Amino acid sequence: MFRVMFHEPRIPPNTGNAIRMVAGTGCELHLVGPLGFDLSEPKLKRAGLDYHDLASVTVHENLEAAWAAVEPARVYAFTAHATVSYADIAYRPGDVLLFGPEPTGLSEEVLADPHVTERLRIPMLPGRRSLNLSNAAALVTYEAWRQHGFKGAAL
């Protein structure tokens, strides 16, 4: 359905939570290295519970390898510095939802990548830096899936 991409994630439980989320939504999780942990990390395994076998997870050496593998049509990069809300987009299956590492977010270099279609933000109260990575990814993924009637879900 949708492709959730974590660029250089650093916190294993966030990635574990994302594994559970993509298993529950039918989305793909793409992890772009270098990763800040090993995939056998106990905290990642614990957060992902028994969903690891139900999730589509691919690790890419770097961003160029990720682009080559997913051949994205549209890439939405999430940053607190954008002016367009994630809720103002009509998502399409195959879209890439790109999130940056904790705690820095996506670098200007990644945000300027020609594959990036648009920079989006998740509204927050003033003075707040960001949401938790796995929460932000879930929020956006569920909005995109909602727009498609939660296709494939047991309602």
Side-chain angles (χ1 to χ4, degrees):
M1 175 73 51
F2 302 99
R3 298 168 175 164
V4 177
M5 187 176 286
F6 285 0
H7 184 260
E8 299 180 358
R10 298 283 173 249
I11 301 175
N14 282 336
T15 298
N17 289 338
I19 289 169
R20 288 176 67 185
M21 186 268 296
V22 299
T25 60
C27 294
E28 300 171 0
L29 179 61
H30 293 267
L31 305 174
V32 179
L35 306 182
F37 51 84
D38 187 274
L39 290 177
S40 64
E41 165 72 41
K43 290 179 181 176
L44 180 139
K45 294 286 188 188
R46 182 169 185 263
L49 293 175
D50 55 351
Y51 288 87
H52 294 269
D53 293 341
L54 301 173
S56 172
V57 180
T58 305
V59 179
H60 306 280
E61 183 177 338
N62 53 45
L63 198 52
E64 293 75 26
W67 296 145
V70 301
E71 299 180 11
R74 301 191 320 170
V75 176
Y76 293 105
F78 292 85
T79 173
H81 307 290
T83 57
V84 177
S85 170
Y86 80 98
D88 293 336
I89 299 300
Y91 296 97
R92 295 190 298 226
D95 284 349
V96 174
L97 312 174
L98 176 61
F99 298 87
E102 319 91 331
T104 61
L106 293 167
S107 69
E108 273 304 316
E109 179 182 347
V110 172
L111 289 169
D113 187 291
H115 290 92
V116 172
T117 303
E118 191 158 10
R119 299 177 188 194
L120 302 178
R121 73 177 288 115
I122 298 170
M124 292 180 285
L125 293 175
R128 279 43 171 207
R129 189 177 66 238
S130 66
L131 292 177
N132 170 279
L133 175 61
S134 60
N135 290 342
L139 184 127
V140 173
T141 300
Y142 269 82
E143 170 56 20
W145 196 26
R146 182 198 66 77
Q147 290 181 12
H148 292 272
F150 297 109
K151 184 177 180 179
L155 298 176

